Amino acid sequence: DAGVTQSPTHLIKTRGQHVTLRCSPISGHKSVSWYQQVLGQGPQFIFQYYEKEERGRGNFPDRFSARQFPNYSSELNVNALLLGDSALYLCASSLVGVDRGRRDGYEQYFGPGTRLTVT
Amino acid sequence: KNQVEQSPQSLIILEGKNCTLQCNYTVSPFSNLRWYKQDTGRGPVSLTIMTFSENTKSNGRYTATLDADTKQSSLHITASQLSDSASYICVVNQAGTALIFGKGTTLSVSS
């Protein structure tokens, strides 16, 4: 069974440009979360989607947006790129959202990430 | 402020030795605590998940402990191997919301 897949693997963009990152969750998983990981730091939560609805949003500007499709795959869009957006963007899938209240939560499985470099 | 602090920031040990990584958190309300292993340039891989009522959980040579009263956790690695070289990230699930990640401890195992 395939794990979480992300595309592209690497991406180089120029300041001011727009970028779209894609994620396909594990088959049967209905929740996708996006994280930004700057070099030397832990991942920072950006968005969580469950059943095509936004279920959580981190402290990121409106330049960041996302959506989830009927097949549960997801896109992360970033407009007006800044140098500080350079990071590893991670996608994680789970059966349901981590905010569903189960004390043991549902395991999140991370994809390999997309390395975005903004010049 | 909800935070997850890890120590040490980095650690170098010889192959075959044991080590312990620390995690302190101030996240509330607490749902569960997770330890992840992240190889350079790769996505994190889950090692353990512990709820409020669990004190210890093992996964092979990895043993995690949790003291919910003092809000501390540790990850003990036994008989380290070269393949254990990675970043180890402590993550706290804030109940009703998302995961809050620590900055990680970078472990280097040398022969």
Side-chain angles (χ1 to χ4, degrees), chain A:
Chain A
D1 193 16
V4 179
T5 60
Q6 292 185 244
S7 63
T9 305
H10 296 88
L11 199 55
I12 300 176
K13 289 286 190 178
T14 305
R15 276 180 300 175
Q17 286 187 315
H18 161 271
V19 67
T20 297
L21 310 181
R22 296 177 175 83
C23 171
S24 292
I26 292 172
S27 177
H29 285 193
K30 298 181 179 181
S31 179
V32 169
S33 297
W34 286 96
Y35 297 86
Q36 180 196 65
Q37 186 175 24
V38 175
L39 194 62
Q41 303 290 317
Q44 296 290 316
F45 171 67
I46 309 175
F47 287 110
Q48 183 194 146
Y49 277 79
Y50 175 64
E51 288 281 19
K52 301 178 289 294
E53 291 187 2
E54 183 181 304
R55 298 296 296 271
R57 184 185 185 109
N59 187 26
F60 279 80
D62 292 341
R63 298 185 296 107
F64 289 77
S65 64
R67 56 178 175 169
Q68 187 176 33
F69 299 99
N71 65 355
Y72 303 111
S73 67
S74 177
E75 283 184 353
L76 175 69
N77 296 285
V78 187
N79 293 323
L81 286 167
L82 303 175
L83 295 179
D85 295 331
S86 295
L88 180 68
Y89 288 84
L90 295 166
C91 170
S93 82
S94 57
L95 282 170
V96 296
V98 294
D99 62 339
R100 287 299 299 274
R102 274 179 56 116
R103 294 180 63 193
D104 58 351
Y106 278 103
E107 183 57 80
Q108 279 202 334
Y109 297 86
F110 285 84
T114 292
R115 171 68 64 187
L116 172 65
T117 301
V118 182
T119 62

Side-chain angles (χ1 to χ4, degrees), chain A residues 37 41 99 103 107-108 111, chain B residues 31 38 46 49 52 99 103:
Chain A
Q37 186 175 24
Q41 303 290 317
D99 62 339
R103 294 180 63 193
E107 183 57 80
Q108 279 202 334
Chain B
S31 178
Q38 185 176 25
S46 177
I49 299 178
F52 184 88
L99 305 178
K103 294 182 179 180

Side-chain angles (χ1 to χ4, degrees), chain B:
Chain B
K1 183 178 179 181
N2 294 304
Q3 286 185 315
V4 178
E5 303 285 343
Q6 292 187 242
S7 63
Q9 184 176 354
S10 61
L11 184 62
I12 301 174
I13 61 173
L14 289 175
E15 186 179 13
K17 298 296 185 182
N18 303 334
C19 67
T20 301
L21 314 180
Q22 301 291 340
C23 174
N24 297 330
Y25 62 93
T26 58
V27 179
S28 181
F30 174 88
S31 178
N32 57 75
L33 186 145
R34 307 156 185 239
W35 282 93
Y36 284 89
K37 177 186 179 185
Q38 185 176 25
D39 293 315
T40 302
R42 308 291 296 275
V45 175
S46 177
L47 296 175
T48 63
I49 299 178
M50 289 184 293
T51 62
F52 184 88
S53 60
E54 294 177 295
N55 300 119
T56 304
K57 183 164 279 190
S58 293
N59 178 2
R61 295 181 296 102
Y62 301 101
T63 299
T65 65
L66 174 64
D67 186 335
D69 291 330
T70 62
K71 298 187 176 181
Q72 295 180 325
S73 176
S74 66
L75 180 69
H76 186 76
I77 304 175
T78 304
S80 61
Q81 300 176 358
L82 296 177
S83 59
D84 292 331
S85 296
S87 178
Y88 292 84
I89 306 175
C90 175
V91 185
V92 178
N93 188 180
Q94 184 180 24
T97 60
L99 305 178
I100 300 174
F101 287 71
K103 294 182 179 180
T105 292
T106 300
L107 174 65
S108 297
V109 180
S110 60
S111 58

